[in-house]
Amino acid sequence: LRRAGSIAAMFAVFVCSAVWLPRVFAQGGYGYTTISYPGATSTAIWGINNAGAAVGVANGTSCFVYSGGSFTPVNLPSGVSVRQCTGINDLGDIVGGYSCSSPQGVCGFLISHGVFSNIGPVGSLYSYALGINNSRQIVGGYRDAFGNYHGFLFSGGSYTNIDRPGTNTQGAGINNSGQIVGYYISGAQGIGFLLSGGNFTSVTNGS
């Protein structure tokens, strides 16, 4: 979710050469750019900021920032095994998920000014940080001790659940106005949403 409330998204196409071809588009006008990390068999782009810097992962293990046609590896602490780098703000802060000692083996993270921090509500069995804005508000998802999935907003050192009543919910992106996008599961159907001013708006194909 970028400035002015436009919604950005990514999808990838698997081709016979075993390379993932990320496509980044925006509501109200779009263009396609194929991005392939040098020497990698798979490349996925998961987030982009207002300056056009994109963050992703190569071969499922190597995080990078792609900007101006160049790739820059994301420096991680020794021993940290990354799952995905999923979001980047205009300050260069990066969020994602890494392998950890939680029951399901995945925790969210934030890298800000070179400092690596764990992100996820206390007691969560699984957590992922997916989006970050310039105020360093972070959205993502986690699983609680009862097996339910929730979205979360991390702001000012505190976590707030993002829950569409009666559903499993996940936050995926947040812009500088605090508008949040994500999805929830209703029955067997996944439905996108926009959360703005405390109000949920479902976003479906054709809406």
Side-chain angles (χ1 to χ4, degrees):
L1 182 65
R2 298 175 70 185
R3 64 163 65 101
S6 63
I7 298 173
M10 185 284 294
F11 66 90
V13 179
F14 189 71
V15 295
C16 60
S17 61
V19 176
W20 288 92
L21 302 180
R23 317 289 194 182
V24 181
F25 65 90
Q27 179 180 302
Y30 60 88
Y32 294 94
T33 301
T34 298
I35 300 171
S36 181
Y37 194 88
T41 57
S42 67
T43 304
I45 297 293
W46 291 105
I48 187 169
N49 66 16
N50 291 315
V55 67
V57 64
N59 292 337
T61 58
S62 301
C63 277
F64 62 82
V65 175
Y66 177 81
S67 180
S70 299
F71 294 91
T72 302
V74 175
N75 293 321
L76 299 168
S78 176
V80 169
S81 177
V82 72
R83 294 292 186 93
Q84 299 281 2
C85 286
T86 53
I88 183 171
N89 64 14
D90 297 337
L91 308 174
D93 302 318
I94 295 170
V95 295
Y98 73 104
S99 297
C100 66
S101 59
S102 75
Q104 287 193 288
V106 181
C107 294
F109 72 80
L110 163 68
I111 300 175
S112 180
H113 298 295
V115 178
F116 184 94
S117 302
N118 187 79
I119 297 293
V122 175
S124 58
L125 303 184
Y126 161 102
S127 64
Y128 232 106
L130 292 172
I132 182 170
N133 67 13
N134 290 349
S135 297
R136 296 193 173 93
Q137 294 176 307
I138 297 169
V139 294
Y142 74 98
R143 185 182 183 189
D144 66 22
F146 302 99
N148 300 311
Y149 288 87
H150 309 269
F152 70 78
L153 167 66
F154 179 69
S155 179
S158 299
Y159 291 92
T160 302
N161 276 5
I162 302 170
D163 286 315
R164 179 80 172 183
T167 69
N168 287 318
T169 309
Q170 179 159 286
I174 182 168
N175 68 11
N176 292 331
S177 298
Q179 296 172 304
I180 295 169
V181 293
Y183 68 89
Y184 61 92
I185 305 298
S186 180
Q189 184 179 13
I191 301 172
F193 70 80
L194 168 66
L195 176 60
S196 180
N199 298 312
F200 278 94
T201 300
S202 295
V203 180
T204 58
N205 186 31
S207 65

